[in-house]
Amino acid sequence: MKIYHLTAISEKGNNWAKFEVDQPIGPKEMRQFKNIDEAKGAPLIQQLFYLPFVKSVTLSEKTIVVERFDILEWEEVIEEVKEQLQTY
């Protein structure tokens, strides 16, 4: 089982947070998913859409960018997203 190390980056007031991974996890070209249906075939991305505040997800080789709805601030949920990614 591979162990992935994540770094979470978010600035106060941004609607997005960036999660950098130390190993490749996605395609070389960026792919954006606006809902769970678009994420068919990408189970990790589908898992993120089960979080009620996730608006869209962008995946590239070593980066996941999660855009949130304005119902919460990143400070409140960024560790939850990081935990979801590490658990998966």
Side-chain angles (χ1 to χ4, degrees), residues 15-34:
N15 285 348
W16 57 269
K18 183 177 183 180
F19 299 88
E20 295 179 344
V21 186
D22 66 340
Q23 301 175 51
I25 59 163
K28 291 190 184 285
E29 60 282 336
M30 193 169 35
R31 281 193 65 198
Q32 185 173 29
F33 305 92
K34 295 186 188 250

Side-chain angles (χ1 to χ4, degrees), residues 6-68:
L6 292 165
T7 304
I9 303 165
S10 177
E11 294 180 17
K12 190 167 179 76
N14 279 350
N15 285 348
W16 57 269
K18 183 177 183 180
F19 299 88
E20 295 179 344
V21 186
D22 66 340
Q23 301 175 51
I25 59 163
K28 291 190 184 285
E29 60 282 336
M30 193 169 35
R31 281 193 65 198
Q32 185 173 29
F33 305 92
K34 295 186 188 250
N35 57 54
I36 197 167
D37 292 330
E38 289 184 5
K40 284 186 179 154
L44 171 61
I45 305 306
Q46 285 181 321
Q47 186 70 30
L48 291 174
F49 278 109
Y50 287 113
L51 299 170
F53 52 85
V54 173
K55 183 176 183 179
S56 70
V57 180
T58 303
L59 175 67
S60 62
E61 189 173 23
K62 291 185 175 183
T63 306
I64 299 170
V65 178
V66 179
E67 182 183 10
R68 67 172 173 79

